[in-house]
């Protein structure tokens, strides 16, 4: 049974483990998972790459903000945010209204290893190298850290270990 009266909001760079940890929290604690990118893609009837191409990034970012507001009606769910969600200050405000914001981190090398075979990451598609990933991570780091209630390094840890760490720290804060 779910004992959390708040949401777990996962943020982090693409490939930091948000989807994997969301699934693990679902399995371990029977928490419903909201994959923001998936919900938006389903509602729009196109992939994230297509949304960027057809409507532009600003349109997509507005959909993210609207979805965060909508999710405040839920409790005890895992909200897996797209990599750019914490870059908007208004999104951070919305995330904190009903959840504990957990930043998952990993080294650029780990990120590259995790995303190298994925082709639905518009920002990385032609830039799959440690230097580009490292630069983009550095550009986002201060916003990510400012948004986070808890920061967890995922390198070399099992999904189970990370879930246990998230739940114990979230209950303390």
């Amino acid at each position: 049974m779910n004992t959390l009266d708040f949401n777990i909001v996962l943020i982090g760079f693409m490939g930091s483990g948000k989807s994997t940890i969301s699934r693990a929290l679902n399995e371990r604690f029977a928490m419903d998972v909201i994959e923001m990118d998936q919900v938006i893609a389903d509602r729009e009837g196109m992939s994230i790459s297509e949304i960027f191409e057809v409507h532009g990034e600003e349109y997509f970012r507005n959909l993210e903000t609207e979805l965060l507001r909508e999710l405040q009606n839920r409790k005890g769910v895992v909200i897996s945010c797209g990599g750019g969600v914490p870059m908007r200050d208004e999104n951070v405000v919305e995330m904190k209204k009903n959840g504990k914001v957990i930043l998952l981190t990993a080294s650029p090398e780990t990120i590259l290893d995790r995303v190298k075979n994925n082709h639905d990451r518009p920002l990385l598609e032609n830039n799959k190298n440690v230097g580009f990933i490292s630069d983009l991570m550095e550009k986002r780091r201060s916003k990510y850290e400012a948004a986070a209630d808890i920061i967890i390094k995922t390198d070399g840890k099992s999904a189970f270990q990370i879930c246990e760490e998230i739940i114990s720290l979230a209950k303390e804060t």
Side-chain angles (χ1 to χ4, degrees), residues 9-19 22 34-38 40 48 52 57 60-61 64-65 67-68 79-89 91-92 95 101-105 111 115 120-124 133 136-145 147-148:
V9 182
L10 297 178
I11 64 170
F13 198 75
M14 54 194 98
S16 62
K18 297 180 302 288
S19 295
S22 294
I34 311 292
E35 281 277 356
M36 287 186 65
D37 282 354
Q38 190 60 53
I40 291 169
I48 301 303
F52 267 65
E57 184 174 359
F60 176 72
R61 299 300 174 201
E64 290 177 323
T65 303
L67 182 55
L68 282 171
I79 301 168
S80 180
C81 297
V85 172
M87 302 309 290
R88 261 193 181 183
D89 293 338
N91 289 351
V92 174
M95 286 188 277
V101 182
I102 315 291
L103 170 59
L104 300 179
T105 67
I111 299 281
V115 303
D120 198 31
R121 314 237 183 207
L123 293 174
L124 277 192
I133 291 170
L136 190 52
M137 288 174 76
E138 191 53 37
K139 284 184 187 130
R140 291 183 171 185
R141 189 169 59 84
S142 64
K143 288 272 194 190
Y144 280 8
E145 289 177 357

Side-chain angles (χ1 to χ4, degrees), residues 64-123:
E64 290 177 323
T65 303
E66 289 167 26
L67 182 55
L68 282 171
R69 288 190 180 119
E70 183 184 318
L71 292 173
Q72 288 170 19
N73 301 321
R74 306 278 307 269
K75 289 282 179 267
V77 299
V78 180
I79 301 168
S80 180
C81 297
V85 172
M87 302 309 290
R88 261 193 181 183
D89 293 338
E90 66 188 298
N91 289 351
V92 174
V93 170
E94 299 303 328
M95 286 188 277
K96 288 182 176 284
K97 282 183 182 172
N98 73 339
K100 302 286 172 97
V101 182
I102 315 291
L103 170 59
L104 300 179
T105 67
S107 72
E109 293 78 10
T110 298
I111 299 281
L112 178 60
D113 189 54
R114 290 175 181 169
V115 303
K116 65 183 179 225
N117 297 318
N118 185 305
H119 298 288
D120 198 31
R121 314 237 183 207
L123 293 174

